[in-house]
Amino acid sequence: MPQQPPIRSTPTRPPRPDASMSLLTNVMDHSLDDGYAEAAARKKAAGEGGLPKTLRARLGLALGLVLAALVVTVGAAQARVAAPVVAKERQELIDRIDREGDTADKLEENVDTLRDDVSSRQREALKQSGESGKADLVGILSGAAAVHGPGVKLVVNDAKEATTGGDGNPRETSGFSDTGRVRDRDMQRVVNGLWESGAEAISINGQRLTALSAIRAAGDAILVDNKPLVPPYTVLAVGDGQRLSTRFQNSADGLYLHALQGDYGIRTAISVEDDLRLPAAPSVIVRTAKPRTEKGTS
């Protein structure tokens, strides 16, 4: 039988130390990475004797808050100090307005007194010259004398609600957006129509009109001789009542008013009155015109 080769034993190596134990030992010996340690050392060396940045930031924020609180406190204190001064100035301004208003009222009363005195002197002078009737006529025509007599009462008021449109469109060139409001242009046409229809004296809301009266607008308000009016607008015209009413309603201005009533809702009412009383207007100041003498020279 063939012989088997002899079995040789493999020599064993000595056991290696455990790798995990070596890693734990390294971690214990070097608990902080060398790079972090070097950076900490450099930072300590550079900032030795100084405060950390986080602390400086906190101190800066605290200082800013203190300054802001100081500013607010000083402002509040100044406001408290100035409040009595402002209140005093406001009261002084109110008192001044009241005084000026009283002065204006007294001046207006003085003007009325002087106007009456001038009118009486004019009548007395004309009476001495034998022309007292002419003085009364001049006073009526100029509006300087109060009058009464038959005539027409015309009330014009805004529409209940503003409307738009209208075939006739009598305001196509006026530029007013709210066509339901009575405008100065409307009152101008009403007054001119009454004059042309034969009115001898006219007043609006108690203000007598003269040849120099102006009807204008200031915003939405209508002014007569710079005095504001409020609706409804009551127009009194002294004249031949029935004839005046008929002629006005058939005139172009009367038809204009009728178109405003039908197309825009403006309310109107006209009536014939037996006795109307109109106040006198402020005296007319003549600066340019001069009376003509009998020979035709001034």
Side-chain angles (χ1 to χ4, degrees):
M1 293 182 64
Q3 296 183 352
Q4 294 183 355
I7 298 175
R8 297 179 181 180
S9 61
T10 303
T12 59
R13 297 180 180 180
R16 298 173 57 185
D18 192 355
S20 60
M21 293 298 295
S22 176
L23 179 61
L24 290 175
T25 303
N26 187 31
V27 170
M28 293 179 62
D29 294 340
H30 302 85
S31 58
L32 183 64
D33 186 81
D34 294 340
Y36 285 106
E38 293 177 0
R42 289 196 303 270
K43 183 177 180 181
K44 183 177 180 180
E48 186 176 0
L51 295 175
K53 290 183 178 180
T54 55
L55 182 58
R56 287 199 301 269
R58 292 176 182 176
L59 289 177
L61 178 61
L63 180 60
L65 293 176
V66 171
L67 291 176
L70 180 62
V71 171
V72 172
T73 303
V74 172
Q78 291 178 350
R80 285 195 298 270
V81 172
V85 177
V86 174
K88 182 180 179 181
E89 293 178 352
R90 180 176 181 275
Q91 186 61 42
E92 290 178 352
L93 181 59
I94 293 175
D95 295 339
R96 181 180 177 184
I97 292 174
D98 293 338
R99 290 194 302 269
E100 295 296 334
D102 295 338
T103 302
D105 293 338
K106 292 180 181 179
L107 290 175
E108 187 173 357
E109 293 177 358
N110 190 24
V111 168
D112 293 336
T113 302
L114 293 175
R115 183 182 297 117
D116 295 338
D117 182 60
V118 170
S119 299
S120 62
R121 290 176 182 272
Q122 288 177 346
R123 288 192 295 269
E124 185 64 26
L126 291 173
K127 184 183 296 184
Q128 293 178 359
S129 63
E131 297 180 353
S132 58
K134 184 177 180 180
D136 295 336
L137 178 60
V138 171
I140 293 174
L141 297 178
S142 64
V147 298
H148 72 94
V152 168
K153 178 181 179 181
L154 175 62
V155 180
V156 184
N157 199 0
D158 295 336
K160 291 183 179 180
E161 295 181 358
T163 58
T164 58
D167 296 334
N169 194 14
R171 301 183 181 204
E172 59 184 357
T173 60
S174 64
F176 293 126
S177 59
D178 184 3
T179 54
R181 298 289 302 274
V182 178
R183 302 297 182 176
D184 57 331
R185 175 184 176 183
D186 304 331
M187 297 309 300
Q188 290 172 2
R189 295 201 59 168
V190 167
V191 170
N192 290 335
L194 289 172
W195 285 125
E196 293 177 0
S197 299
E200 299 173 359
I202 300 177
S203 69
I204 303 178
N205 285 15
Q207 296 191 38
R208 182 75 173 275
L209 302 183
T210 68
L212 301 180
S213 295
I215 301 176
R216 298 192 179 98
D220 289 334
I222 296 178
L223 307 181
V224 174
D225 293 335
N226 294 326
K227 294 182 179 180
L229 304 180
V230 294
Y233 307 102
T234 302
V235 183
L236 303 180
V238 174
D240 187 346
Q242 189 59 51
R243 182 182 178 186
L244 178 59
S245 175
T246 302
R247 293 184 63 180
F248 172 74
Q249 295 186 67
N250 293 332
S251 66
D253 297 314
L255 295 176
Y256 171 87
L257 186 60
H258 182 71
L260 293 181
Q261 182 181 11
D263 294 344
Y264 300 100
I266 289 178
R267 294 167 287 174
T268 64
I270 187 169
S271 61
V272 178
E273 303 293 333
D274 295 333
D275 189 23
L276 298 175
R277 296 185 177 273
L278 278 62
S283 298
V284 178
I285 300 176
V286 180
R287 297 183 176 88
T288 305
K290 297 180 180 180
R292 184 176 179 178
T293 61
E294 295 180 358
K295 296 181 180 181
T297 58
S298 59

